Amino acid sequence: MTLTLDLTSAQTRAALGAHMRTPEKPSLVGLTRDEMAEALAVAGIPERQRRMRVQQLWHWLYVRGVSDFSQMFNISKDLRAELDRHFTVARPEVVEEQISNDGTRKWLFRFPPRGAGRPVEVETVYIPEEGRGTLCISSQVGCTLTCSFCHTGTQKLVRNLTAEEILAQLLTARDRLGDFPDRDTPDGAIVPAEGRKVSNIVMMGMGEPLYNFEHVKKALLIASDGDGLSLSKRRITLSTSGVVPEIARTGDEIGVMLAISLHAVRDDLRDMLVPINKKYPLEALMDACRNYPGLSNARRITFEYVMLRDVNDSLDDAKELVRLLRGIPAKINLIPFNPWPGTNYQCSEWETIEKFADYINQAGYASPIRTPRGRDILAACGQLKSESERMRKSERLALEAMMIAGHGEA
Ligand code: SAH
Ligand code: SF4
């Protein structure tokens, strides 16, 4: 059974004690140390105090996870009031929280308008696994690219998310999971990072992260900073459809793990499935991967490969894949296609996926088949779409019928 909580009523919000942000004030979340110091200058904090205040604020925001200045006990009441006059540290509105029968959770967050724009809604998914938990974060609302098998690709780009909004997905998910154990320790002790519910993050939600490079970079550098959210860069994966010119910068400037949405091993087919291939074809993409900064057998690139029936799932494709990846420290992630209403694709037969995986394994590659998770709440890859283009009920029923009929079910 799927559990859906309606979090829109004022009562529910009050019960949750959520501090929702108001649109007028700028947020202190997502700023680099220098940017925060500049912001504090505007609020009249004397220069000699700024570095210390930045340190305190980072600690409260990212280690303790507070969302209200009043909880920052080592800052004087007057200063807290002054900060509150100028800034916010509040969370986005949690419009909806869905909990799948397999423990997967999906949230719909609403962010206030920027300038003359409208509020935007963003989906974030949490996938708990044995001994770890992965948060799938969005980088844009919609996507400018139009990969033909991806539901997000049918939605127009609404806008890039800011560093604040990218980080807010992580902070709010951890709130909802009770994953800020440091917030309430009586003696102020820091709880070791090992036991965290969100142990890994993947930039695999809505959008193409490398088309929003600066904001994604800022957010991930705070997520991995020892004084920020302290996630190891090895536990952060950025997935790209293949924006070749930004790949080297991703390694140099962000230093996180890279995943490539490959999906096809020949240019003619990849042009159709992942149209950015027309701009940056396979040869250029493979070169960029081969030269990815920090690449080694211990730090491999993950190649994502969606299994589409009779499209890219033959043994010849598997052979060509092995040939293409020669010399690149790689992992291959086979993803059973998740169907959505209106798509012409179907998921490969399970037997075909296994044969494909066997061939790749024999060639020496780890090639886990991604287990479909959270399908009952449409939390799977490629199904994220914001409220601005939410599925109509008839579409939902059609999808359920497809899944019951076993199409695309792995
Ligand atoms: N834009 C980035 C990251 C978001 S998509 C990218 O394309 O890499 C995250 C992953 O989900 C990608 O590998 C994407 O190809 C895959 N995906 C999209 N739609 C899917 C679907 N319907 N079924 C299975 N995987 C899908
Ligand atoms: Fe955009 Fe990635 Fe979907 Fe392609 S697969 S349309 S790049 S979100």
Side-chain angles (χ1 to χ4, degrees):
M1 203 191 71
T2 310
L3 180 68
T4 305
L5 305 179
D6 177 10
L7 301 174
T8 46
S9 83
Q11 264 169 331
T12 320
R13 280 188 227 152
L16 291 167
H19 299 285
M20 239 78 72
R21 53 165 306 182
T22 44
E24 311 81 42
K25 292 187 277 186
S27 176
L28 288 181
V29 174
L31 302 183
T32 63
R33 291 178 178 80
D34 286 350
E35 285 171 343
M36 198 185 276
E38 270 172 45
L40 295 182
V42 174
I45 313 272
E47 193 177 351
R48 61 191 148 71
Q49 277 190 19
R50 278 180 221 148
R51 264 185 56 175
M52 183 261 291
R53 296 297 180 202
V54 167
Q55 223 173 355
Q56 284 177 323
L57 282 162
W58 266 53
H59 182 79
W60 284 115
L61 291 179
Y62 305 127
V63 181
R64 306 278 172 191
V66 308
S67 54
D68 192 335
F69 290 110
S70 68
Q71 295 167 291
M72 302 181 176
F73 298 121
N74 62 355
I75 299 180
S76 76
K77 250 189 163 159
D78 287 350
L79 182 53
R80 280 189 255 153
E82 191 57 26
L83 289 170
D84 196 32
R85 243 192 305 282
H86 287 87
F87 307 110
T88 178
V89 289
R91 301 287 192 248
E93 187 178 337
V94 185
V95 181
E96 199 175 298
E97 171 169 272
Q98 288 182 281
I99 305 173
S100 158
N101 48 21
D102 68 9
T104 301
R105 291 187 192 217
K106 183 170 83 170
W107 295 278
L108 184 68
F109 299 133
R110 183 179 295 143
F111 292 96
R114 316 224 138 249
R118 290 195 304 192
V120 291
E121 288 171 344
V122 173
E123 286 184 332
T124 307
V125 174
Y126 174 69
I127 305 150
E129 284 166 299
E130 196 62 39
R132 58 187 245 163
T134 303
L135 192 70
C136 180
I137 295 181
S138 296
S139 56
Q140 299 182 309
V141 186
C143 189
T144 48
L145 300 172
T146 52
C147 303
S148 53
F149 57 89
C150 173
H151 204 200
T152 310
T154 64
Q155 185 187 353
K156 283 202 195 77
L157 178 75
V158 178
R159 72 166 167 81
N160 279 336
L161 293 173
T162 62
E164 177 216 340
E165 292 161 338
I166 294 167
L167 273 178
Q169 297 173 60
L170 174 55
L171 296 173
T172 316
R174 285 186 61 188
D175 281 347
R176 302 290 307 140
L177 292 164
D179 197 28
F180 271 117
D182 307 287
R183 186 141 62 195
D184 304 315
T185 47
D187 50 359
I190 303 287
V191 178
E194 287 87 68
R196 283 210 212 133
K197 295 209 175 111
V198 179
S199 60
N200 294 59
I201 58 180
V202 291
M203 297 302 297
M204 292 187 189
M206 291 193 289
E208 169 49 59
L210 295 189
Y211 275 164
N212 186 15
F213 190 89
E214 294 306 328
H215 288 295
V216 166
K217 171 181 164 181
K218 263 197 332 190
L220 294 185
L221 289 182
I222 294 174
S224 58
D225 195 301
D227 294 327
L229 285 141
S230 287
L231 273 162
S232 154
K233 288 185 179 182
R234 283 164 169 269
R235 290 173 173 270
I236 302 178
T237 303
L238 182 150
S239 173
T240 178
S241 57
V243 184
V244 167
E246 307 292 353
I247 288 181
R249 287 182 71 201
T250 303
D252 281 333
E253 297 176 32
I254 316 181
V256 292
M257 306 298 284
L258 184 69
I260 300 285
S261 292
L262 190 65
H263 308 316
V265 289
R266 296 188 324 266
D267 277 321
D268 55 347
L269 181 60
R270 197 162 187 274
D271 282 351
M272 272 163 40
L273 298 179
V274 189
I276 197 179
N277 193 68
K278 291 184 207 152
K279 203 163 175 190
Y280 308 115
L282 281 167
E283 198 183 332
L285 180 59
M286 290 302 132
D287 272 352
C289 289
R290 224 166 261 119
N291 296 320
Y292 188 63
L295 190 61
S296 71
N297 280 335
R299 294 190 65 211
R300 292 164 188 262
I301 295 178
T302 301
F303 289 87
E304 297 159 276
Y305 196 93
V306 64
M307 297 300 292
L308 301 168
R309 186 186 297 180
D310 299 332
V311 174
N312 65 353
D313 61 353
S314 72
L315 267 187
D316 279 345
D317 289 304
K319 282 181 194 160
E320 183 57 21
L321 178 58
V322 168
R323 202 195 60 77
L324 197 65
L325 299 186
R326 201 165 291 150
I328 304 177
K331 282 186 275 196
I332 299 163
N333 202 335
L334 299 181
I335 316 174
F337 171 64
N338 288 308
W340 39 273
T343 179
N344 291 324
Y345 295 109
Q346 290 181 319
C347 182
S348 307
E349 302 284 354
W350 189 245
E351 221 189 307
T352 316
I353 301 182
E354 280 190 330
K355 273 195 194 140
F356 200 99
D358 282 349
Y359 182 86
I360 294 168
N361 280 330
Q362 275 161 24
Y365 288 99
S367 61
I369 303 168
R370 194 182 291 169
T371 332
R373 299 291 303 267
R375 281 192 166 188
D376 52 339
I377 56 169
L378 303 186
C381 283
Q383 291 186 337
L384 301 188
K385 252 188 137 183
S386 72
E387 187 64 26
S388 26
E389 261 201 63
R390 192 141 287 273
M391 262 188 224
R392 288 194 305 274
K393 193 169 173 212
S394 56
E395 285 186 311
R396 262 178 196 274
L397 293 175
L399 180 61
E400 269 165 32
M402 280 164 86
M403 283 162 69
I404 291 164
H407 291 295
E409 199 57 63

